C-alpha cells in the first residue's frame, strides 16, 4: 500500500506532516511518499531515524495557499504538492493521498485528475464526530452547496457503506438533518429527500434535528454541504471555547485545582473522545480514488491517523462497495 502525503499542506507544514508520516511509518506497513519541496522535507527528516522506514520523497516545486481559489490554483499550479500527490494515484504510483492543505483544492484536484465514481452525481466530505453512542459520520460538510434530493440520497448510501465497513456498524441508522422530526418539515429538497430515503431500503430513522446529533440518534447524518460545514465549524468552536472556559474557571480557586488533579484521568478520556486528531482525516467519498482531507491545523497525531484511515479505506474496498451500491 502506497500513500502519498502532501508534505506542504497545513498550518504547520512540513514539520508536523513529516513527524506524522514518521509516526505512521513506525506503526503501519504502508509505504509513504512525502510530496513537496525536497530540501525542506529532507531537513525535517534529519530529526528522525528514517533509514529503515518505508519513506520516500517525491519533489514538487509549488504550493497552493489556503487563501487561493481552488479551481484556479489547481489549473495554474500543476506542480503543486496537492496536484502531484493526486496525479500519483492516477499514474498508479500511489493508492491514496492525504492533505491538510487547501481543502477546496484537494477536492478540485480529485475531480480534475481522478473524476467521479460511476453513478455518483457529486462527491461528499464525510467527517466522523463523537456522539453519546459512539462515533457518527456527517456528510456532506463542504464539498457541495445546493444539493438535490437525489444527491442527499447518494450521500446516505456512501455514508452507510463507510460506517459499516470502516466503523464496523451493522445496519447504520440514517438520519436526515432538518428543522423538525416530522417528514413534512424542511424545504422542498429535504421533503423530497425524506421520501427517497424512506423508499431506499436503508435503515432510515427519519428527520433529526441539530440537538439530536450528539445524542446519537443516527449513525449517519445527511445534509447539504453548506449546512454541514456550518454545523462542523460551530461544533469545533463550542468544543474549543468550552475547554477555555473550563480551564479559566478551574484556575480561579486553589481548591478547584486540587479537584482537577483527582479528575485528570476522566478529563483525559473525555478529551480523547472529542479530539479530531483521533479520527485523522475526512474521506472525499464519490471520487474515483482515495483522497483524505485533514484539518488545516492538524498535528502529527492527526496526520498519522489520516494515513491509517487512507490505508483502511483501500483495504476495505470502499469505492468498490459504493460503485456496486449505486
Amino acid at each position: 500500500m502506497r500513500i502519498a502525503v502532501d508534505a506542504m499542506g497545513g498550518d504547520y507544514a512540513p514539520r508536523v506532516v513529516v513527524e506524522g508520516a514518521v509516526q505512521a511509518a513506525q506503526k503501519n506497513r504502508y509505504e509513504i511518499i512525502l510530496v513537496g519541496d525536497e530540501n525542506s522535507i529532507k531537513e525535517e527528516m534529519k530529526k528522525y531515524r528514517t533509514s529503515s522506514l518505508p519513506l520516500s520523497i517525491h519533489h514538487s516545486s509549488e504550493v497552493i495557499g489556503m487563501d487561493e481559489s481552488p479551481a484556479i490554483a489547481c489549473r495554474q499550479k500543476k506542480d503543486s504538492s496537492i496536484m502531484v500527490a493526486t496525479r500519483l494515484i492516477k499514474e498508479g504510483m500511489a493508492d491514496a493521498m492525504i492533505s491538510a492543505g487547501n481543502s477546496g483544492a484537494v477536492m478540485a484536484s480529485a475531480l480534475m485528475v481522478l473524476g467521479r465514481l460511476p453513478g455518483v452525481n457529486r462527491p461528499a466530505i464525510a467527517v466522523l464526530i463523537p456522539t453519546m453512542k459512539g462515533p457518527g459520520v456527517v456528510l456532506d460538510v463542504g464539498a457541495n452547496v445546493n444539493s438535490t434530493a437525489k444527491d442527499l440520497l447518494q450521500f446516505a448510501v456512501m455514508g452507510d457503506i463507510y460506517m459499516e465497513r470502516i466503523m464496523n456498524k451493522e445496519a447504520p441508522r440514517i438520519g436526515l438533518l432538518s428543522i423538525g422530526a416530522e417528514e413534512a418539515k424542511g424545504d422542498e429538497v429535504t421533503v423530497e429527500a425524506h421520501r427517497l430515503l424512506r423508499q431506499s431500503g436503508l435503515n432510515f430513522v427519519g428527520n433529526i434535528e441539530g440537538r439530536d446529533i450528539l445524542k446519537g440518534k443516527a449513525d449517519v447524518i445527511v445534509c447539504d454541504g453548506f449546512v454541514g460545514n456550518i454545523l462542523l465549524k460551530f461544533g469545533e468552536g463550542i468544543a474549543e471555547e468550552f475547554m477555555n472556559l473550563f480551564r479559566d474557571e478551574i484556575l480561579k480557586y486553589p481548591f478547584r485545582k486540587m479537584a482537577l488533579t483527582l479528575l485528570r484521568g476522566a478529563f483525559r478520556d473525555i478529551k480523547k473522545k472529542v479530539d479530531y486528531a483521533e479520527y485523522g482525516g475526512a474521506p472525499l467519498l464519490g471520487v474515483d480514488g482515495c483522497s483524505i482531507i485533514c484539518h488545516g491545523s492538524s498535528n502529527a497525531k492527526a496526520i498519522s491517523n489520516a494515513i491509517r484511515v487512507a490505508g483502511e479505506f483501500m483495504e476495505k474496498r470502499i469505492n468498490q462497495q459504493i460503485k456496486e451500491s449505486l
Side-chain angles (χ1 to χ4, degrees), residues 275-307:
D275 186 3
Y276 73 88
E278 295 290 336
Y279 299 103
L284 181 59
L285 300 179
V287 295
D288 196 8
C290 178
S291 184
I292 306 293
I293 298 173
C294 302
H295 201 292
S297 60
S298 289
N299 57 22
K301 180 196 284 188
I303 297 296
S304 177
N305 282 331
I307 293 170

Side-chain angles (χ1 to χ4, degrees), residues 57-104:
I57 300 173
H58 190 103
H59 179 71
S60 67
S61 61
E62 297 176 304
V63 177
I64 295 177
M66 291 292 199
D67 58 346
E68 293 189 66
S69 167
I72 294 174
C74 286
R75 290 191 181 97
Q76 293 181 347
K77 294 185 173 181
K78 302 288 188 183
D79 201 45
S80 63
S81 52
I82 288 176
M83 286 293 288
V84 172
T86 307
R87 282 203 304 272
L88 290 179
I89 300 175
K90 186 70 172 180
E91 294 166 0
M93 297 174 64
D95 301 294
M97 72 85 76
I98 76 162
S99 175
N102 185 317
S103 58

Side-chain angles (χ1 to χ4, degrees), residues 21-57:
V22 170
Q23 290 179 8
Q26 291 170 339
K27 293 184 292 187
N28 301 302
R29 60 190 179 279
Y30 311 130
E31 178 186 340
I32 298 169
I33 306 167
L34 290 163
V35 181
D37 180 71
E38 186 173 8
N39 291 331
S40 298
I41 296 171
K42 282 183 175 179
E43 193 64 30
E44 290 298 326
M45 289 179 69
K46 288 179 182 178
K47 300 175 183 178
Y48 312 98
R49 295 180 179 177
T50 61
S51 58
S52 62
L53 297 178
L55 288 167
S56 61
I57 300 173

